[in-house]
Amino acid sequence: MSDECRVCLLGLIFLSSLLTGISGVDETHVFISSGENVSLPCNNALHDCTSTTWNYNGFRYSGAVELIKLGIKKKNTERHERLSLGSDCSLNIRNISTEDYGSYICQQWIGVNRDQQQGPDARVFLHVLHVSSSQTEISAGLSVTLFCQLYSYNGGSCDYWISSERIQLFWVNQTGVKLTRSDSRYQISSSSDRCIISLTTTLLNEDDNRERRCEVTQRDQVKTSVTYTVKSSAQADSTTVIPVRDSPTAAGITTEVTVIVVCASFALLLLALILWMMIRKKRSGVRRATDDSVDPSSRAGNNSLFCESNLESLHSSPESRQTSPSQVVSPHL
């Protein structure tokens, strides 16, 4: 009986290795929200990336697009500016959009002419989660519908991904509680053809600044989520902040405005300094002119009076300078 078990076990191992060799594909699923950056792993990379080639396929029957060839980025693709090759041969994509979903295949080519593939393909399925609204102007009393869609490889329907990878979409409120169809305030619907789930509700005053979050799970584990904050139109117009990602034009405008403000401040400071110097110089000139405008004859008259008073004291009568008899002291005999 034990020998039969050993034979069965060896048979299962052989069959498993045979099926793996037939498929020859290592598959990975990566989930990301639109607008973020992502790194797709290359699970068959060699010691360097000179043998690495990355191909992209968005549809099952469409031709593959070569993104990276033997470690060098192709420049004839639409997304080449957002692509880069990591040190571990991973494919880095910046500012993910809904058009980036699909199948990415990493291959290794060796040999003198680089015409021999080393090992199986390493395939990465990139799923992109995106949320949109049916209303551009939002206020209390209006009905609004939020759409949450998972963009996946078109080789299979949403039902296929749900059954094979147990992928699910659902809405949660700002406290993390899952919203269900049993809640009378919300109408939740989903499509089996496309991976999309919609949330419809009539907004109340207390809904302003409240968050609704769409989450995607794979095998009951949250992979990524997108948060949508409900804001009234008046508040949105006054507090809306437009994020700018790697925009040279916006950066140039910001720099130009900063230079203008600095130059204007310096000019005002220089003008104030010049005015202060002019006022100080004018005050000094007025003081000097006042001193120079005093009448020289008046000063000469004062001097002559002083001299005359001194002469009178010198030419006074001898009688006035004689000592009175009462002041003479008789000598002692």
Side-chain angles (χ1 to χ4, degrees):
M1 186 71 179
S2 60
D3 292 336
E4 293 179 359
C5 291
R6 290 194 184 94
V7 171
C8 293
L9 181 61
L10 290 174
L12 289 175
I13 294 175
F14 175 77
L15 181 60
S16 176
S17 62
L18 181 62
L19 291 175
T20 304
I22 292 175
S23 62
V25 177
D26 177 29
E27 294 185 352
T28 303
H29 292 267
V30 175
F31 299 82
I32 196 69
S33 302
S34 58
E36 297 183 353
N37 303 330
V38 70
S39 180
L40 306 182
C42 180
N43 294 332
N44 60 5
L46 302 179
H47 60 280
D48 59 23
C49 302
T50 58
S51 60
T52 300
T53 295
W54 276 97
N55 296 321
Y56 166 75
N57 197 330
F59 302 91
R60 174 181 293 180
Y61 301 108
S62 63
V65 178
E66 198 172 49
L67 304 176
I68 306 288
K69 182 177 182 180
L70 301 178
I72 301 176
K73 182 174 62 174
K74 305 285 286 186
K75 296 184 178 181
N76 57 349
T77 60
E78 296 180 357
R79 67 193 77 182
H80 77 276
E81 294 182 353
R82 298 187 291 116
L83 300 179
S84 63
L85 192 64
S87 58
D88 57 350
C89 306
S90 59
L91 182 63
N92 302 321
I93 309 176
R94 295 185 297 106
N95 193 16
I96 287 291
S97 69
T98 55
E99 298 178 356
D100 293 325
Y101 74 92
S103 172
Y104 293 80
I105 300 175
C106 185
Q107 300 174 337
Q108 306 299 321
W109 295 90
I110 60 175
V112 178
N113 298 322
R114 302 287 183 174
D115 55 355
Q116 300 177 11
Q117 185 174 354
Q118 174 70 23
D121 293 344
R123 176 174 295 174
V124 181
F125 290 103
L126 180 61
H127 308 265
V128 180
L129 188 66
H130 181 72
V131 170
S132 59
S133 173
S134 63
Q135 299 287 342
T136 57
E137 295 185 0
I138 298 175
S139 60
L142 293 180
S143 176
V144 62
T145 301
L146 303 179
F147 302 96
C148 179
Q149 183 171 356
L150 183 67
Y151 293 82
S152 299
Y153 178 60
N154 287 347
S157 63
C158 188
D159 289 338
Y160 168 78
W161 294 116
I162 291 174
S163 60
S164 63
E165 296 296 329
R166 292 171 55 190
I167 294 177
Q168 291 184 345
L169 290 173
F170 52 89
W171 286 96
V172 299
N173 59 17
Q174 59 184 3
T175 60
V177 177
K178 184 178 180 180
L179 302 179
T180 62
R181 290 182 173 88
S182 60
D183 195 326
S184 59
R185 275 208 60 195
Y186 304 102
Q187 297 177 8
I188 300 176
S189 60
S190 58
S191 172
S192 60
D193 185 22
R194 298 180 299 167
C195 290
I196 184 172
I197 182 171
S198 61
L199 174 67
T200 303
T201 184
T202 299
L203 298 178
L204 304 177
N205 290 327
E206 55 266 26
D207 287 331
D208 193 23
N209 284 329
R210 281 190 176 179
E211 295 181 351
R212 306 290 189 276
R213 187 169 70 251
C214 179
E215 294 182 349
V216 56
T217 60
Q218 181 190 23
R219 305 184 188 280
D220 299 329
Q221 292 185 355
V222 178
K223 293 300 180 179
T224 188
S225 63
V226 176
T227 300
Y228 187 92
T229 303
V230 177
K231 291 186 177 182
S232 63
S233 300
Q235 183 177 0
D237 292 340
S238 59
T239 61
T240 299
V241 178
I242 303 175
V244 179
R245 299 184 178 92
D246 300 334
S247 175
T249 303
I253 293 174
T254 304
T255 304
E256 183 179 355
V257 171
T258 303
V259 171
I260 292 174
V261 172
V262 171
C263 291
S265 302
F266 180 76
L268 290 175
L269 181 61
L270 183 60
L271 180 60
L273 181 61
I274 293 174
L275 290 175
W276 177 78
M277 293 179 65
M278 291 176 63
I279 293 173
R280 185 177 180 183
K281 185 176 181 181
K282 185 176 180 180
R283 287 180 178 177
S284 177
V286 170
R287 189 179 300 111
R288 190 180 299 110
T290 303
D291 295 339
D292 295 340
S293 64
V294 176
D295 188 4
S297 60
S298 62
R299 287 186 295 187
N302 294 332
N303 294 334
S304 61
L305 290 175
F306 176 75
C307 293
E308 290 177 357
S309 61
N310 290 335
L311 287 175
E312 289 178 355
S313 62
L314 290 176
H315 292 86
S316 58
S317 61
E319 291 80 1
S320 63
R321 294 199 302 270
Q322 289 180 354
T323 304
S324 61
S326 62
Q327 292 179 350
V328 177
V329 179
S330 302
H332 296 280
L333 295 178

